[in-house]
Amino acid sequence: QVQLVESGGGLVQAGDSLRLSCVASGRTFRSYAMGWFRQAPGKEREFVSAISRSDGSIGYADSVKGRFTISRDNAKNIVYLQMNSLKPEDTAVYYCAAASTYTQWVFTKAIEYTYWGQGTQVTVSS
């Protein structure tokens, strides 16, 4: 029902910034809670940030709080992740995810999401 395509990843130095974008296709984007997850080599996929359907509810992992900002533009079917003050430990493949819901909940577990993008690589050097 929805397809997601991430972009904006790249190779940067510690302290730099990146802005990830996730473009969604589908008629019911406004009905999806959206999230960002990341997966480093040899590790499980972990929660980064999430945003509710439309009421502005937002959640962040403690590791990125104060540095990352999630936002969405329902008119353009895009969710963003602004990443500032990047650290080497932020290096991972970043995935956009969508959860169909009629609530304004913020979901923080991967199992709660139905649709996933293919991911975009973020590499932060020292």
Side-chain angles (χ1 to χ4, degrees), residues 11-28:
L11 174 62
V12 298
Q13 293 183 328
D16 286 350
S17 298
L18 281 174
R19 188 193 191 195
L20 305 184
S21 298
C22 174
V23 180
S25 62
R27 296 182 60 196
T28 58

Side-chain angles (χ1 to χ4, degrees), residues 50-96:
I51 187 168
S52 66
R53 288 174 55 208
S54 60
D55 75 347
S57 297
I58 291 172
Y60 297 100
D62 288 341
S63 60
V64 306
K65 193 171 299 182
R67 299 187 298 120
F68 291 9
T69 302
I70 190 172
S71 62
R72 67 187 294 164
D73 186 336
N74 287 345
K76 297 181 179 180
N77 286 10
I78 301 176
V79 61
Y80 302 98
L81 185 67
Q82 178 67 45
M83 305 185 294
N84 298 327
S85 301
L86 284 164
K87 305 175 181 179
E89 50 262 45
D90 294 319
T91 296
V93 176
Y94 283 71
Y95 297 92
C96 176

Side-chain angles (χ1 to χ4, degrees), residues 2 4 31-37 45-53 59-60 96-116:
V2 61
L4 309 173
S31 298
Y32 290 89
M34 303 296 296
W36 286 97
F37 291 75
R45 190 167 299 186
E46 68 172 347
F47 168 75
V48 176
S49 185
I51 187 168
S52 66
R53 288 174 55 208
Y60 297 100
C96 176
S100 180
T101 180
Y102 293 100
T103 74
Q104 296 294 339
W105 297 345
V106 174
F107 302 108
T108 61
K109 295 184 177 180
I111 195 173
E112 296 173 314
Y113 289 86
T114 303
Y115 303 99
W116 295 84

